[in-house]
Amino acid sequence: MSVARARLEKEHFHQKQAMRKVLSDRASNDLKQRAEREFEIFERDQQLKHQKDMKQAEEARKKQELARIEIDKSRKEQLQLKKQQLEADKQLSKLYTDERERITRQQHVAEQEKELAKRRENIECRKIQEQQAQENAKRRALKEAERLQQEKQVLQKVKQEDDIFAQFALKEIERFKAKGKGGTNLLKKAINA
């Protein structure tokens, strides 16, 4: 039974680990997809802005040149910020994953400690039950010994009384014989009974 229980606990542990891995992988994939979507939106916005800037460039070349310089500068800053944001998101994701793993380990340790405490409690309960059973058996044995001793004393007393009666009956038979009287059959039957 303990082997089956251990096997079940092991399977339960592996199932939990698999579920945690699936959740972790899912969270990682979600973050990756979110970053890709945001990057696509960012690129689309940049393309629209570039087209608008090209239109303005046709209207005024000087403004276009200054705008292009500003756009290039802004783009670099935005890309830099985006890279920093992506790096921060990656670090946050790693911190989250690490924290989840730590919490999961703590929960697993707590579950193991709880199970160990329960086992210890069961063992203590079993010991107490065994002690009570042994004490009950000793009590019953003592009561039985006392009962047997009392029966033995009663039997000895009855035997003593029977011996006294038999001696009395033999004396009476002897007395009757000495007087020459009969009728001792009843006393002989009482002695032999």
Side-chain angles (χ1 to χ4, degrees), residues 86-102:
L86 287 173
E87 187 62 34
D89 286 347
K90 284 180 184 177
Q91 289 176 354
L92 184 62
S93 175
K94 185 177 184 317
L95 286 173
Y96 175 76
T97 304
D98 291 346
E99 182 64 17
R100 286 298 304 154
E101 287 176 0
R102 185 186 66 76

Side-chain angles (χ1 to χ4, degrees), residues 28-186:
S28 178
N29 285 338
D30 288 347
L31 286 173
K32 182 179 176 185
Q33 289 175 357
R34 181 175 143 208
E36 289 174 354
R37 279 195 308 267
E38 288 177 2
F39 192 74
E40 287 173 3
I41 290 169
F42 173 75
E43 282 187 339
R44 185 188 68 208
D45 290 344
Q46 287 299 316
Q47 287 176 356
L48 291 173
K49 191 171 185 178
H50 185 66
Q51 288 174 359
K52 183 179 178 183
D53 290 341
M54 290 299 287
K55 197 174 190 181
Q56 289 176 351
E58 290 174 4
E59 294 173 3
R61 286 198 180 269
K62 287 184 180 182
K63 286 184 178 181
Q64 187 269 341
E65 190 65 33
L66 291 174
R68 187 171 52 86
I69 291 170
E70 280 298 314
I71 289 170
D72 286 345
K73 183 180 176 183
S74 176
R75 186 183 301 156
K76 287 178 183 178
E77 288 175 356
Q78 287 179 359
L79 286 173
Q80 185 65 28
L81 287 172
K82 191 65 178 174
K83 285 180 183 178
Q84 289 173 353
Q85 183 65 35
L86 287 173
E87 187 62 34
D89 286 347
K90 284 180 184 177
Q91 289 176 354
L92 184 62
S93 175
K94 185 177 184 317
L95 286 173
Y96 175 76
T97 304
D98 291 346
E99 182 64 17
R100 286 298 304 154
E101 287 176 0
R102 185 186 66 76
I103 290 170
T104 302
R105 281 193 302 272
Q106 285 178 344
Q107 288 173 344
H108 181 67
V109 167
E111 287 172 6
Q112 284 180 335
E113 288 174 355
K114 186 177 178 182
E115 183 64 29
L116 188 59
K118 189 174 181 181
R119 285 183 184 173
R120 287 181 184 141
E121 185 179 321
N122 287 342
I123 289 170
E124 282 299 316
C125 185
R126 179 73 178 165
K127 283 181 182 177
I128 289 169
Q129 288 174 346
E130 287 175 358
Q131 284 177 343
Q132 288 176 346
Q134 289 174 355
E135 288 172 4
N136 288 340
K138 284 179 183 177
R139 242 182 275 125
R140 282 193 302 271
L142 285 174
K143 283 183 181 178
E144 182 64 20
E146 286 176 13
R147 188 187 63 79
L148 289 174
Q149 184 64 28
Q150 287 174 353
E151 283 182 10
K152 188 176 178 182
Q153 288 174 354
V154 168
L155 287 174
Q156 285 177 351
K157 189 172 183 180
V158 168
K159 187 175 183 305
Q160 286 175 351
E161 290 175 357
D162 285 347
D163 289 346
I164 291 169
F165 176 74
Q167 288 174 1
F168 172 75
L170 286 173
K171 286 180 183 177
E172 286 297 309
I173 292 171
E174 290 297 321
R175 195 170 58 90
F176 272 80
K177 281 184 184 179
K179 289 183 179 180
K181 294 182 180 179
T184 59
N185 288 338
L186 187 58

